[in-house]
């Protein structure tokens, strides 16, 4: 049985990427129906950029990829969980996880790459 994901009025659902082994939450991004289809077809995480208004594959330009182990759907079918094997950092700031600081501003995450060396003027 396939679950019908509720993409809502804007055609997007949030997707949490979580390290399949450690359980560490790596990032949150949005997924369109096409992004979900590409994720399932290729076994690599695809998302939809609201700011660029385009589909993107995680790591296509940086090499910091997310191989999908499993895609889960929440009870309301309006949020996804990508269980992934993360290569490199998940965050464009160079951190392993996008959740690298507390609300008080304390830096608690690991920086694993220099974003200036990875990304050109995008």
């Amino acid at each position: 049985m396939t679950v019908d994901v509720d993409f809502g009025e804007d055609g997007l659902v949030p997707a949490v990427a979580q390290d399949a082994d450690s359980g560490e939450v790596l990032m949150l991004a949005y997924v369109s129906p096409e992004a979900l289809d590409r994720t399932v077809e290729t076994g690599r995480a695809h998302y939809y950029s609201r700011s660029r208004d385009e589909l993107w594959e995680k790591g296509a330009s940086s090499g910091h990829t997310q191989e999908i182990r499993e895609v889960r759907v929440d009870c309301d079918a309006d949020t996804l969980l990508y269980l992934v094997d993360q290569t490199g950092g998940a965050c464009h700031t160079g951190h392993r996880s996008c959740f690298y600081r507390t609300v008080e501003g304390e830096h608690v995450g690991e920086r694993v790459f220099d974003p200036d060396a990875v990304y050109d003027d995008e």
Side-chain angles (χ1 to χ4, degrees), residues 8 10 23-25 28 32 56 61 75 97 100:
D10 66 356
E24 180 182 21
V25 175
L28 179 135
S32 65
W56 60 282
S61 62
C75 57
S97 167
Y100 63 88

Side-chain angles (χ1 to χ4, degrees), residues 19-73:
D19 185 284
D21 289 327
S22 72
E24 180 182 21
V25 175
L26 300 171
M27 60 180 276
L28 179 135
Y30 290 86
V31 172
S32 65
E34 182 183 5
L36 179 56
D37 288 345
R38 294 279 285 282
T39 296
V40 171
E41 289 169 8
T42 65
R44 295 182 309 276
H46 287 75
Y47 299 99
Y48 188 84
S49 171
R50 297 179 300 167
S51 61
R52 295 188 313 261
D53 194 27
E54 66 183 16
L55 181 76
W56 60 282
E57 179 181 341
K58 178 67 178 157
S61 62
S62 68
H64 298 270
T65 59
Q66 292 176 344
E67 294 295 321
I68 297 290
R69 283 221 211 148
E70 186 173 35
V71 177
R72 295 186 184 176
V73 183

Side-chain angles (χ1 to χ4, degrees), residues 14-18 25-29 47 79-83 99:
V16 175
Q18 181 180 32
V25 175
L26 300 171
M27 60 180 276
L28 179 135
Y47 299 99
T79 304
L80 301 174
L81 176 65
Y82 284 2
L83 297 173
F99 299 96

